[in-house]
Amino acid sequence: MNLTDYVRRVSREDFGKEFRHQAYWNRRLKTTGGCFFPKDGHLDFNPRYYEAAPLLFRKIVRHELCHYHLYFEKKGYRHRDRDFKELLEAVDGVRYAPALSAFETNVYLYQCQQCAHVYPRKRRINTAKYGCGKCRGPLLFVEKRNQSSG
């Protein structure tokens, strides 16, 4: 199922209304989950939210559909409007998308060169300054991993 079909299904199930335009993935969105374009009616969504937290993504789709449906019904579709706030609460959408950093964490792996013990760390460490806690051997940076907790 592609994104537009998914948005159409959410619109029918949660709003009882049809979504008649297109929905697109937009990796250039950095701090927002989605964006509504009143000029042509299409919606853009940040794929990183779908990858990190699929259950939250449906609430983001509801948020953008609130803008969409209210705009075409000629009601208040902006964040500050009462119509928007009431509809968003009725369909259980999110007011603001949480920061992606809440879902994605970097893990740095270090390994002792003498005893081969592996140290996962959230922050980078200076291998010239710190050594192994077990045998005091020198540490070697192994890799950086991205982990999602959504």
Side-chain angles (χ1 to χ4, degrees):
M1 173 181 292
N2 69 21
L3 180 61
T4 301
D5 292 338
Y6 177 74
V7 173
R8 286 185 179 136
R9 192 179 87 205
V10 171
S11 182
R12 276 193 306 272
E13 290 175 1
D14 298 343
F15 292 84
K17 300 172 184 175
E18 288 296 319
F19 174 69
R20 293 186 172 88
H21 292 82
Q22 293 294 312
Y24 303 104
W25 294 116
N26 186 348
R27 279 212 167 268
R28 289 172 295 166
L29 297 176
K30 297 292 183 196
T31 59
T32 183
C35 192
F36 167 60
F37 294 85
K39 189 173 183 179
D40 64 352
H42 83 273
L43 301 175
D44 278 1
F45 291 99
N46 188 339
R48 288 183 284 271
Y49 278 98
Y50 179 74
E51 295 160 3
L55 297 176
L56 173 68
F57 183 71
R58 185 175 179 110
K59 292 185 176 196
I60 293 171
V61 171
R62 289 178 190 151
H63 176 104
E64 297 309 323
L65 284 171
C66 285
H67 290 298
Y68 175 84
H69 290 302
L70 289 170
Y71 177 79
F72 288 109
E73 292 170 6
K74 299 197 180 346
K75 295 182 179 177
Y77 68 96
R78 294 186 178 103
H79 288 125
R80 65 177 178 251
D81 296 329
R82 178 175 287 169
D83 293 330
F84 178 80
K85 291 176 183 176
E86 290 172 356
L87 182 60
L88 189 65
E89 188 175 335
V91 297
D92 189 31
V94 289
R95 184 97 162 102
Y96 302 103
L100 278 169
S101 60
F103 301 104
E104 297 174 352
T105 57
N106 292 324
V107 175
Y108 300 95
L109 296 179
Y110 296 90
Q111 186 172 19
C112 176
Q113 292 179 348
Q114 286 182 2
C115 69
H117 184 75
V118 177
Y119 293 93
R121 293 289 179 260
K122 288 184 180 179
R123 294 183 177 184
R124 292 189 64 112
I125 61 171
N126 183 353
T127 56
K129 185 176 179 183
Y130 296 100
C132 178
K134 293 183 177 280
C135 70
R136 296 180 184 253
L139 294 179
L140 179 69
F141 175 73
V142 179
E143 68 177 332
K144 174 183 171 184
R145 289 187 185 162
N146 249 341
Q147 292 185 335
S148 296
S149 61

